[in-house]
Amino acid sequence: MALLASFVLAIQPVAAQSILRDAETEALLADMARPLIEASELEPENVEIVVINDPSINAFVAGGQVVYVHAGLINAAETANEVQGVIAHELGHITAGHVVRFEERTRSAQGITILSLLLGVGAALAGAGDAAMGAIMAGQQAAMGSFLSFNRNQEAATDQAGARYLSGAGISGRGMISFFERLRNMEIRRGYSQSDEAAYGRTHPLAGDRVQLLRDQLRADAAWDAADDPELQDRFLAVRAKLFGYLAEPERTFQQYPESDTSVPAMYARAYAYHKDAQVERAVAETDALLATDPDNPYFLELKGQVLLESGRPEDALKPLRRATDITRNQPLIAGMFGHALIATEDEENYDEAEQVLRAAVGRDRLNPFAWYQLGVVYAARGDMPRARLASAEQQVMSGRYPEALRNAQAAEAGLEVGTPDWIRAQDIALQARSELERIRDSR
């Protein structure tokens, strides 16, 4: 997306997956989640909503106060209110500390299995082979049944917490119900049994059971008939379309959003599809059509700058990207792209501005490997190799490239003035990289 830089999550528990970063999407999700976070009595500035590059319909919490939402869930949702229902549910996992309890329960289940294994070995040594196998299998079944039951109970309790947060925020629960109903219909279409016996082997309650338990509670709430925020819904439809256009093959996008559709979401999606399909002029035409509807929309300006920059026209990209950066007061992702465009002109007169913009970007968002890389390019071009090495170390440590991060941090520390903030930061990165390398070594 614009930027929607994708990179491996090396510093999060979901390290095998990648996240999608986009200024507009992050702003929308933050606005959607804020009243729910406040209703849950968490602090909005401490909770993050992160989009995962995964087409499946899912959301989860994996530690800390971070809610991970799959791109597939956003694409499957029809309203912002439906996504708010999912976020409310996931906040329930955070407030209840379910991640910690999940780990405790996993250890408990492992304990049951180990005990059954020891009993089975004892029986085998006594010559009772059938009894040994029975003890092992019974232990495994007990462990799995206990674990799944615990998880289903957690999910049901979290549904109730999510309903309370929706109520406390004055947000209708219609979206939560409609989304669960859609999941139930998908389960039925895919042949998943809705019987009680089938539910026993699941980690989550059946979607139909969740609807039945929640519907009466949510309908009785004063917020049930509250109207959806039209501005929030318009923003959601635009973000969903740009996400679709960014991730889907162009042909699918053109089928979903044909040229006869002149809505903002359709133009957004087609702009990405044309850009991916190397149809530069048509992509630019779609961005110009978007800007005709709202000339000062920073995300439309950002997209036009991205198309021009990535099509080899960095000079033309400067004007829209500079304007987008100004309007958003140096939003880090947008500023990072603007800094990239300044460097891509290969005009040394632009390097001062690029350094200023990029330093501001990483100052507000240190977890921005793309901006760190560009900042390193500026330092290297000027011959400031210690800071170039430090910028590389910043990028590498958050990408999980710990050996390179350690080497660059040590080289930066050796070349920087002792006691300066950059020198201290180089030490911190070296310590972090060394600690991670030791952890990886000890886990083998």
Side-chain angles (χ1 to χ4, degrees):
M1 298 166 81
L3 174 69
L4 258 184
S6 177
F7 63 96
V8 173
L9 275 170
I11 58 172
Q12 299 289 355
V14 284
Q17 302 190 63
S18 64
I19 68 173
L20 297 171
R21 298 212 57 194
D22 172 64
E24 182 178 18
T25 303
E26 292 178 5
L28 170 66
L29 291 173
D31 289 344
M32 290 168 58
R34 185 173 294 106
L36 297 166
I37 296 169
E38 291 172 349
S40 73
E41 299 186 351
L42 296 171
E43 296 295 331
E45 60 271 19
N46 294 334
V47 180
E48 293 182 77
I49 314 295
V50 175
V51 180
I52 295 286
N53 185 6
D54 191 306
S56 61
I57 303 173
N58 194 23
F60 62 95
V61 174
Q65 296 187 17
V66 185
V67 176
Y68 298 94
V69 178
H70 285 200
L73 187 146
I74 294 174
N75 186 54
E78 293 184 355
T79 66
N81 185 230
E82 290 187 348
V83 179
Q84 285 178 310
V86 173
I87 293 172
H89 171 93
E90 297 303 329
L91 290 173
H93 282 303
I94 294 176
T95 56
H98 282 170
V99 173
V100 174
R101 294 184 183 183
F102 178 87
E103 293 172 351
E104 292 172 352
R105 197 67 183 190
T106 301
R107 287 194 293 271
S108 175
Q110 289 171 340
I112 296 173
T113 304
I114 291 170
L115 178 60
S116 68
L117 180 61
L118 292 174
L119 291 172
V121 170
L125 291 174
D130 290 343
M133 182 60 67
I136 293 171
M137 293 180 66
Q140 290 175 337
Q141 185 175 9
M144 181 59 70
S146 173
F147 176 77
L148 292 175
S149 175
F150 169 77
N151 206 69
R152 288 194 301 274
N153 289 337
Q154 275 195 340
E155 291 295 329
T158 304
D159 285 345
Q160 298 297 314
R164 291 197 304 273
Y165 301 153
L166 287 164
S167 176
I171 296 172
S172 174
R174 294 191 309 272
M176 177 179 272
I177 294 298
S178 65
F179 198 74
F180 280 150
E181 286 178 336
R182 191 172 303 115
L183 291 180
R184 178 184 59 185
N185 292 337
M186 290 175 61
E187 288 177 349
I188 294 172
R189 285 199 305 271
R190 293 176 181 177
Y192 294 124
S193 173
Q194 302 294 297
S195 67
D196 291 340
E197 292 78 8
Y200 178 79
R202 293 168 56 104
T203 59
H204 288 56
L206 292 167
D209 292 341
R210 300 172 87 169
V211 170
Q212 186 175 350
L213 288 170
L214 284 169
R215 182 183 283 117
D216 290 342
Q217 176 185 352
L218 289 168
R219 278 184 172 171
D221 186 73
W224 175 260
D225 291 323
D228 291 347
D229 183 334
E231 180 184 356
L232 209 61
Q233 177 64 9
D234 287 344
R235 291 170 62 191
F236 168 74
L237 293 175
V239 162
R240 186 182 66 172
K242 74 187 293 190
L243 182 63
F244 188 92
Y246 178 80
L247 295 174
E249 290 300 317
E251 291 152 353
R252 280 193 63 209
T253 302
F254 298 139
Q255 290 172 357
Q256 184 79 14
Y257 298 96
E259 289 193 8
S260 58
D261 186 345
T262 58
S263 66
V264 165
M267 290 188 287
Y268 232 158
R270 288 196 301 269
Y272 282 101
Y274 284 132
H275 183 43
K276 289 176 68 174
D277 206 34
Q279 298 187 55
V280 179
E281 296 309 319
R282 299 189 80 172
V284 171
E286 293 287 0
T287 63
D288 285 340
L290 287 168
L291 285 165
T293 69
D294 187 356
D296 290 326
N297 185 308
Y299 309 118
F300 297 168
L301 289 163
E302 179 195 21
L303 175 55
K304 181 172 183 177
Q306 179 186 11
V307 170
L308 293 168
L309 172 61
E310 294 177 356
S311 300
R313 296 161 59 180
E315 288 282 359
D316 295 335
L318 293 183
K319 183 177 179 180
L321 288 175
R322 181 179 282 110
R323 179 65 179 147
T325 301
D326 290 343
I327 292 172
T328 60
R329 298 182 180 180
N330 293 296
Q331 200 285 336
L333 295 176
I334 296 175
M337 181 176 289
F338 178 39
H340 178 201
L342 288 165
I343 295 168
T345 63
E346 299 183 353
D347 183 347
E348 292 185 5
E349 292 185 2
N350 288 329
Y351 284 7
D352 283 343
E353 185 178 10
E355 179 182 355
Q356 179 183 0
V357 166
L358 291 166
R359 285 188 70 89
V362 298
R364 289 178 56 186
D365 179 7
R366 298 195 71 85
L367 300 180
N368 189 340
F370 181 77
W372 279 115
Y373 174 80
Q374 296 300 325
L375 192 55
V377 171
V378 173
Y379 288 139
R382 290 179 160 176
D384 187 351
M385 295 312 299
R387 284 182 175 78
R389 300 292 290 270
L390 177 59
S392 293
E394 293 274 11
Q395 177 205 7
Q396 290 156 353
V397 77
M398 72 181 70
S399 300
R401 296 159 55 195
Y402 301 118
E404 298 99 317
L406 179 58
R407 286 194 296 271
N408 277 313
Q410 289 174 329
E413 181 184 348
L416 292 165
E417 183 179 348
V418 175
T420 61
D422 284 342
W423 180 83
I424 294 171
R425 180 59 187 162
Q427 284 193 321
D428 289 344
I429 295 175
L431 286 171
Q432 181 183 351
R434 192 178 291 110
S435 175
E436 289 294 335
L437 288 170
E438 290 174 357
R439 180 187 62 79
I440 292 169
R441 182 197 62 202
D442 293 344
S443 66
R444 290 174 179 169

